Amino acid sequence: MSEVRATFTLGRIAGVRVGVHWSVVVIFAVIALGLGVERLPNAYPDRSAVSYTLLALLAGVLFLASLLAHELAHAVVARKSGVPVRDIVLWLLGGATRTRTEAPDPEAEFRIAGAGPATSLALGVVCTAVTWLLVALDAGPVVEVVAWLAVINFLLALFNAFPAAPLDGGRLLRAALWRRSGDRPRATAQSSVAGQVFGWVLVAAGLVVFLWSGAFGALWLALVGWFVAGAASLEGQQARVRQLLAGVPVTETMTPRPATVPADATVGGLLSETSPGYDHPALPVVSSSGAPIGLVTRERLRQVPVEKHRALTVAEIMVPLERVRTTTPDQDLAELLPRLEPGPEQRVLVVEGAEEPGPAGGGRAAPTRLLGIVSPSDVNRTIRRLSEHPRHQPAGH
C-alpha cells in the first residue's frame, strides 16, 4: 500500500507539522448521516434539521480533534525519546504520525506506542464525566454528541490496543518481542504477521455481516481490515529489507565521487552544460575548497526565470546543507533506510568529518569532504544484488 500524503497543511502544533488528506470529507459524511440523520432525530425528534446538522458537524470536528490529540501524544513522546517526527496526517481511517527514524530501544518504542491509546482512553473518561454533567444540566441534544464522543474515544483506544501491526498494540507487541529477543527485524516480522491475520479476520467478518444484515457499517469494518492487512504486509516487507541490509555499510551502496557543482556557478551556465554528469536530478554543491555546502535540483533550476539565469548563482537557489541529509561512510545502510524518501531533494550525501545527523542534518560538525551520494535507486540496486547473491548476516540478525 502506498503512503498517505497530506492534501493540505493545517500548520504546526507543538512544533509538529499537521496535514489533512482529502478523504477526511468521508468522515464528515459518515458522521452527518449517523448523527444528523438518524441518532439525533430519533433521540430528540422535536428539534430542527439545522440544529441536527450543526451538531453533527461539531461532532465531526471534535472527532478529528480527538484523532489529532491521539497522534500528538505519539509525536510528543517520540520527540522526548529522541525520535524526530516528520509530520502527522489525518485521513479516512484515522491518523498517522510519521517519524524520520525508528525508536532507539524497546522501552522508547513502548512509551511512544502506548501514548496514543492512553490519550484516547483519558479523553473517553473526560467525555463521560462531561456527559453526566450535561445530563444533570438537561443540555438536550448536546448530551448525545458528547456521549457519542466518549464511546468513540473508548473504541479508538480499544481498537488501537489490539496486538497487531500497524496498530499501536502491534507496536507494543513488537517492543515486547524486541526486548525478549534483542532482534528488531524479527520482532517487526512477527507483529506484521499478527497484523495481517487480524486485518483479514476483520475483512471476512465485515463481509459476512454485510451479506447477512445489509448493514453499511459492516463494509466500513471490512475496509478498515483491508487497510490493516495491507499496512501490516508492507511493514513486514520493510522489515525483511532492513534485515537484508543489516551490516551493509553505506560505502557499498553510494555512488562515489559524484558530479558536483561549484557554488559560484550561474544558473544559466549550469543549464547550458552538456556533460553527462549534469543530467542527474540532484547535484551536490561544493565550495571553492571542495567542501559540500548544499544540494541543487533540476526542478529548482527550472523555476528560475530566464532573465535571472546569468545573475543568480547556484549557491543562492540550492538547498543549504543544514537541510540536506548526510551520513558517514561506515553507517549501517539498514539504519539509513528510514531517512530515504522519494524525490530529487531526498538524496543523502556521504561526507567525511560529520557527526551522526539529526532529522535534517542539524547539530553536527561541518563536513570537510564529499565522498559520495545515496539515492533510493542506489538502495534498490543494492537490494536486488543482495537478493540474488545473499551475504552472511551478522549475529543477531
Side-chain angles (χ1 to χ4, degrees), residues 10-363:
L10 294 179
R12 290 183 177 272
I13 300 177
V16 179
R17 187 170 71 249
V18 178
V20 176
H21 188 259
W22 65 265
S23 59
V24 297
V25 174
V26 179
I27 296 179
F28 278 92
V30 171
I31 292 174
L33 289 172
L35 284 175
V37 177
E38 296 181 8
R39 183 164 177 168
L40 289 174
N42 290 339
Y44 298 89
D46 58 337
R47 307 302 167 97
S48 67
V50 174
S51 65
Y52 299 144
T53 302
L54 291 177
L55 285 172
L57 291 176
L58 175 63
V61 171
L62 292 175
F63 173 65
L64 289 181
S66 298
L67 287 179
L68 181 57
H70 179 111
E71 298 303 329
L72 277 173
H74 287 309
V76 170
V77 175
R79 291 173 64 183
K80 288 183 177 180
S81 302
V83 179
V85 177
R86 192 188 346 170
D87 59 11
I88 291 173
V89 178
L90 301 179
W91 71 298
L92 175 64
L93 297 179
T97 300
R98 304 189 294 184
T99 59
R100 297 188 185 278
T101 60
E102 293 189 325
D105 52 64
E107 290 72 23
E109 174 98 332
F110 192 89
R111 290 193 301 271
I112 296 169
T119 299
S120 295
L121 183 62
L123 287 174
V125 171
V126 170
C127 289
T128 299
V130 173
T131 299
W132 290 340
L133 177 61
L134 292 175
V135 168
L137 296 175
D138 193 20
V142 178
V143 174
E144 202 70 21
V145 171
V146 180
W148 174 84
L149 197 62
V151 172
I152 284 294
N153 275 286
F154 283 131
L155 290 176
L156 189 62
L158 178 63
F159 178 74
N160 274 281
F162 275 94
L167 304 176
D168 296 332
R171 305 280 184 245
L172 296 173
L173 174 63
R174 182 172 74 167
L177 294 172
W178 179 10
R179 183 174 183 179
R180 186 179 68 179
S181 66
D183 188 339
R184 177 163 57 187
R186 181 183 177 188
T188 303
Q190 290 172 331
S191 64
S192 169
V193 171
Q196 292 177 65
V197 171
F198 177 66
W200 289 118
V201 166
L202 289 183
V203 170
L207 292 177
V208 168
V209 172
F210 175 73
L211 293 174
W212 183 264
S213 64
F216 177 77
L219 287 182
W220 185 268
L221 181 66
L223 179 63
V224 170
W226 174 83
F227 164 74
V228 169
S233 176
L234 178 60
E235 196 165 288
Q237 294 171 17
Q238 292 171 341
R240 288 190 290 274
V241 168
R242 284 194 295 270
Q243 192 167 14
L244 184 68
L245 298 179
V248 179
V250 168
T251 49
E252 291 190 17
T253 295
M254 72 179 188
T255 299
R257 299 179 299 279
T260 60
V261 180
D264 57 358
T266 64
V267 172
L270 183 57
L271 287 174
S272 65
E273 285 284 351
T274 57
S275 170
Y278 289 100
D279 292 337
H280 294 292
L283 291 167
V285 181
V286 296
S287 66
S288 57
S289 65
I293 61 171
L295 189 75
V296 66
T297 65
R298 280 281 167 187
E299 184 60 31
R300 282 178 174 253
L301 291 170
R302 293 193 184 102
Q303 289 175 357
V304 176
V306 176
E307 61 271 17
K308 294 184 178 181
H309 279 190
R310 293 183 180 273
L312 285 179
T313 64
V314 171
E316 293 176 279
I317 67 165
M318 70 180 184
V319 181
L321 191 64
E322 58 266 21
R323 289 172 48 199
V324 178
R325 292 171 176 81
T326 64
T327 187
T328 52
D330 56 349
Q331 184 178 13
D332 195 310
L333 187 56
E335 298 301 321
L336 180 66
L337 198 60
R339 294 165 49 210
L340 276 171
E341 301 170 3
E345 292 190 7
Q346 305 306 330
R347 300 314 198 249
V348 177
L349 301 185
V350 185
V351 297
E352 188 177 71
E355 299 170 0
E356 181 66 19

